[in-house]
């Protein structure tokens, strides 16, 4: 499996962020070819030291990095990428990590 973890910092307008993310972005992203699973965090996000400035974490799962690359190169993947720039335009408020994983 391969994963993409997207970490969003606290948005200025939580209500607007949630509305767009859950009603527009997720339905677009779920159309990406090869996407196997889409998860989002629920509730407050903390670190060992206490509260953090992270608001939400989204995790997308694909069979492998090649499937992920193909999915995001598709029209559906490009649409989801463009849409992310609408509800989270400030690159400093978003971190994305792509990786292969293995069971241990």
């Amino acid at each position: 499996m391969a994963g993409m973890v997207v970490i969003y910092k606290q948005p200025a307008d939580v209500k607007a962020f949630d509305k767009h993310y859950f009603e527009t972005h997720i339905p677009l992203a779920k159309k990406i070819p090869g996407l196997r699973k889409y998860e989002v965090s629920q509730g407050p996000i903390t670190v060992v030291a206490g509260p953090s400035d992270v608001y939400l974490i989204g995790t997308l799962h694909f069979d492998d990095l090649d499937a992920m690359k193909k999915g995001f190169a598709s029209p559906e993947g490009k649409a989801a990428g463009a849409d992310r720039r609408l509800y989270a335009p400030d690159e400093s408020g978003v971190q994305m990590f792509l990786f292969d994983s293995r069971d241990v």
Side-chain angles (χ1 to χ4, degrees):
M1 293 290 286
M4 173 186 223
V5 172
V6 184
I7 300 172
Y8 298 97
K9 293 194 177 183
Q10 185 72 34
D13 185 340
V14 169
K15 188 180 269 189
F17 177 94
D18 283 353
K19 181 171 178 47
H20 191 102
Y21 186 78
F22 288 100
E23 294 179 15
T24 303
H25 187 72
I26 289 177
L28 277 174
K30 284 188 163 187
K31 294 178 183 176
I32 297 172
L35 179 67
R36 298 289 178 218
K37 185 177 179 182
Y38 194 128
E39 300 173 305
V40 295
S41 59
Q42 183 174 328
I45 297 171
T46 61
V47 295
V48 175
S52 74
D53 63 348
V54 174
Y55 177 68
L56 184 106
I57 299 173
T59 307
L60 290 74
H61 300 271
F62 294 82
D63 287 338
D64 52 40
L65 285 174
D66 190 48
M68 184 187 300
K69 182 179 175 181
K70 287 178 183 174
F72 280 102
S74 72
E76 296 88 350
K78 289 178 182 178
D83 181 67
R84 196 277 304 157
R85 291 174 192 86
L86 296 177
Y87 68 89
D90 181 1
E91 295 295 328
S92 69
V94 181
Q95 291 181 299
M96 294 183 209
F97 300 93
L98 288 66
F99 55 91
D100 263 325
S101 63
R102 63 186 167 111
D103 291 331
V104 293

